[in-house]
Structure formats: C-alpha cells, structure tokens
Amino acid sequence: MFYHTWPKEEIDRRLENCRTKMKAEGLSGMVITDENNVTYFTGFRTHAPWTTYTRTAWYFLPLKEKPVLLLQNMMAPDAMLRTQDCKIQSYPGLYGTNLETVKNIMDSHGMGEGNVGWELGYEQRIGIPYLEYESLRRMMDQCQFVDGSDILWSLRTVKSKIEIDCIRKACDATSFALDKVFNTMHEGMKETQIVKNFFSYMMEADADKPGFALIASEKGHYDRISNIGSDRRIKKGDLVWVDGGALYNGYWADFGRAGIVGPVDQERQDYQACVHEVTMKAIRAIKPGITASDLAGACIDALVEYGFDPSSFDCGRLGHGMGIMSTEPPSITQQDETVLREGMIINIEPGFVKENGVFNIEENVVVTKDGAKILSGAKRTLYEIKC
C-alpha cells in the first residue's frame, strides 16, 4: 500500500541541498515548526492543515545526524508510515511541548551550540507560541537562534521535476473544473452554488482536494476580487469571474477565467483579448536571469500601452510564486529583485477592473532554460453562460 508522499530520492535531495546551504551559512542545524516546511522535508501532512494549533510538530534538522520529527502521540503512528529519512518521537500532552524534551533532542544532535536556524523572516512563521520560543531560547544559552528564511526559500522556490508534475496535475484539475463550471452555469444560479460546483469538479478531475475559490459577478462590485461567494443570483448581462485552484499531492494551482450571462458583447470580448495579450507579453519576457521587478515592469508597460490602469486590479502585485502554498515568493512587483531561475513556478496575473467586469487571465508557468511553459488551461476568451 502507498503511504509516502514523495520518493526517498526526493527527500534525500532536499535534505542534502539544505545541509549544503546550512554549512555555508555556519549553522549547526535548523528547527522547523511551520506546517508547510515540515511537509516539505518529511512528506507528512496533517488531516486539517492550518485549522488547529493544538498539536505542535517540531522537525529538527542537524548538520550531520538523522533528523527528528517530534509529534504529539496521536500523529506519531501515521507519521511512521508516511515519513522518510527521519526519526519519530512523540509527546503526550496537549498544553504545549515539554521544552526539556526539545532541549535534549537539540543537545544530543549537535544543535546545542552555535547558530541554529529558525523560520523568522520574510513570509515564514514559527508554528509554536512565542512564549515557548522565548523560553527555549533562554534555556539554550550556548547557541544563537538566527533566521533561516533565506535558506528555506532558496530551496522551495526552485521546484524539482516531481514538484512540477504535482503542480501540473493540480492545474489540469483546475482547468477541467473551470471549463465545466462555466459550461454548466446558468442565469439565476447563486454565487455559492457556483463555488460548490467548482469544488466538486476539481474532485471529479482527480484533485486531492479543493483549494480555494473567488468570484465576482455584480456591477458596482467588480473590485471585490477577494469575494468568496454570496447568495446573489447571477443575471443576464453579468460578467462572472471565477479564480481558484485545486491541490494535488500537497501542491497548488491558482488561476481564473470569466464568462458573460447571455450573449458576449464585443466591448468586453475586446477587453478580454487585451488582457490576454498583456499576459502573454509578460510570459514571453520570462527567462532565467531576469528579475521579478523586470517582469512586473513588463506587465505594467503592456497595460499602460493598451490604456489601462495597472492599479485597478488591486491585489498588490502582478503575480507570485506557488508551490506547497498557493502564494509563495517571489512577488512580481517593482520592489522584488529576486532573480528568476529554471524550475521556478511563476503565476502571472496582470489585470484591470472596469464598471462592467473583471478582466484578468492568470496563468501558471514554469521557468525553463529557454523561457517559460504554461501549465494552466481552460478557455481564455469569455464563456457564454446560459440564460
């Protein structure tokens, strides 16, 4: 029976790359407590990520010795079947971890002295209470707790073939679901029912689970691009924009498409064609060696060239990375100087909002040695939704 999330070679590669970077940075080890990072190094996922803080997971990655995954008793039996290349230990309580146990693990694995990396920096979170962190820091008086975020992101932003395959399958499930949700949508349907159908079609297409969905469908409210759905019923003439993504083996997709209830008018079809061309211009600019800010500039220049306000689709950026999380670094902004590398996943999402609709055709692409390959699918022109 299959239990492991990824093959041993994939886990070994991640550990080896991390240890190489740890050694270069002078770290004696890293303590990982954020669920996404624990999953990345072990393959272990809980049944309900992000919904409970009751049972803290600790992953200790020393420079040389075998890593240790410390879990509350309930999770340990399953972790023994699903993880590779780490030793499982467990603790009984529900009211915090015994910090003496943590200290003993660190001391016995060469992490009681020197610099120890933690998830302290950009777009990282420690998964333990701050007071526990401070108590442990005082107990470990022979070592320094330092930020290991740069190491973690340098590993996670560049995807392996296995990771790219997982994202491709998540994109395939999302593409199927978008096509089907628009082809089965009709006048009078509630936004909430559209979202439920979208999720159902993701599962029909072999996704592990639905990830998220956003929907905009009403004149005067098209700037609500974070709307998760309401009891509003769509009506003739509405542009309906749906954005979301499925998960496959822990990895995300994230893109959206749009349609009009009734006949598709020429003005909005032209807007849709413009935003598609803007998006494709940006994608054609992608190659290893350019920066995220270069890519943001390409999006902004193309939008301005067509006479559109780049700030009207106000999500704070023109794209982002993606992987175990639906959004990851880099951010496609003029402030982000991250250099794109082969294997990165970049979501490109320039767009604009008009009184009569949301015009955004997000694409998920992988950076290749020659440019970029699009992983997202579904129809780019406006769907005609049944009246």
Side-chain angles (χ1 to χ4, degrees), residues 78-111:
D78 189 50
M80 289 177 184
L81 292 173
R82 294 189 182 276
T83 59
Q84 301 183 75
D85 282 341
C86 68
K87 182 168 55 177
I88 306 297
Q89 287 187 218
S90 65
Y91 61 91
L94 290 177
Y95 300 98
T97 313
N98 185 324
L99 295 183
E100 285 295 338
T101 300
V102 173
K103 183 178 187 305
N104 290 339
I105 292 172
M106 293 178 67
D107 285 339
S108 62
H109 287 75
M111 298 168 62

Side-chain angles (χ1 to χ4, degrees), residues 95-370:
Y95 300 98
T97 313
N98 185 324
L99 295 183
E100 285 295 338
T101 300
V102 173
K103 183 178 187 305
N104 290 339
I105 292 172
M106 293 178 67
D107 285 339
S108 62
H109 287 75
M111 298 168 62
E113 298 180 348
N115 292 331
V116 176
W118 286 75
E119 303 140 308
L120 302 179
Y122 179 65
E123 291 200 28
Q124 293 286 345
R125 300 290 186 272
I126 55 174
I128 61 173
Y130 175 74
L131 294 179
E132 281 192 10
Y133 171 82
E134 280 297 306
S135 294
L136 182 64
R137 189 172 62 84
R138 289 192 294 269
M139 291 169 64
M140 305 295 298
D141 56 1
Q142 298 302 306
C143 67
Q144 297 293 319
F145 289 4
V146 300
D147 182 27
S149 300
D150 286 349
I151 291 176
L152 293 170
W153 284 129
S154 70
L155 297 169
R156 284 179 50 187
T157 54
V158 178
K159 272 61 179 182
S160 67
K161 182 180 182 302
I162 287 173
E163 291 178 287
I164 293 168
D165 285 345
C166 289
I167 293 168
R168 180 182 291 108
K169 289 175 181 176
C171 286
D172 288 346
T174 305
S175 301
F176 174 89
L178 282 167
D179 273 333
K180 190 162 182 178
V181 80
F182 278 105
N183 287 327
T184 57
M185 204 182 295
H186 58 79
E187 184 181 12
M189 186 177 283
K190 291 181 179 180
E191 287 183 345
T192 48
Q193 187 59 55
I194 292 168
V195 169
K196 288 175 184 177
N197 290 352
F198 186 33
F199 287 160
S200 175
Y201 300 148
M202 289 180 191
M203 300 303 293
E204 184 180 333
D206 203 30
D208 281 357
K209 62 177 69 175
F212 76 99
L214 304 174
I215 184 168
S217 71
E218 184 179 8
K219 185 176 181 179
H221 293 278
Y222 283 118
D223 59 343
R224 293 178 59 213
I225 56 175
S226 64
N227 174 34
I228 61 174
S230 71
D231 284 340
R232 179 184 186 270
R233 296 181 184 273
I234 61 173
K235 64 182 189 298
K236 187 175 181 179
D238 286 341
L239 181 144
V240 181
W241 172 78
V242 177
D243 182 272
L247 284 118
Y248 184 87
N249 205 12
Y251 284 84
W252 285 81
D254 169 15
F255 54 98
R257 303 292 183 255
I260 292 178
V261 184
V264 177
D265 58 278
Q266 192 60 52
E267 180 183 43
R268 287 187 285 189
Q269 192 68 282
D270 289 346
Y271 284 157
Q272 188 79 347
C274 285
V275 81
H276 182 240
E277 182 54 29
V278 167
T279 305
M280 293 309 297
K281 278 189 175 184
I283 290 172
R284 289 193 289 270
I286 293 175
K287 61 183 178 180
I290 73 163
T291 64
S293 62
D294 292 334
L295 191 51
C299 291
I300 292 169
D301 290 347
L303 283 167
V304 171
E305 179 185 339
Y306 281 103
F308 299 116
D309 177 5
S311 66
S312 65
F313 185 79
D314 191 10
C315 63
R317 55 189 175 187
L318 296 128
H320 54 85
M322 184 180 69
I324 292 177
M325 296 168 68
S326 62
T327 72
E328 297 181 349
S331 286
I332 308 305
T333 68
Q334 292 186 298
Q335 292 74 44
D336 195 323
E337 295 301 323
T338 301
V339 175
L340 301 195
R341 297 165 59 191
E342 184 179 352
M344 283 185 172
I345 298 290
I346 301 295
N347 291 18
I348 297 295
E349 53 180 340
F352 53 90
V353 175
K354 292 283 189 179
E355 184 180 336
N356 58 357
V358 178
F359 300 93
N360 163 258
I361 308 174
E362 186 174 3
E363 302 286 5
N364 301 169
V365 307
V366 57
V367 181
T368 69
K369 63 179 181 179
D370 301 314

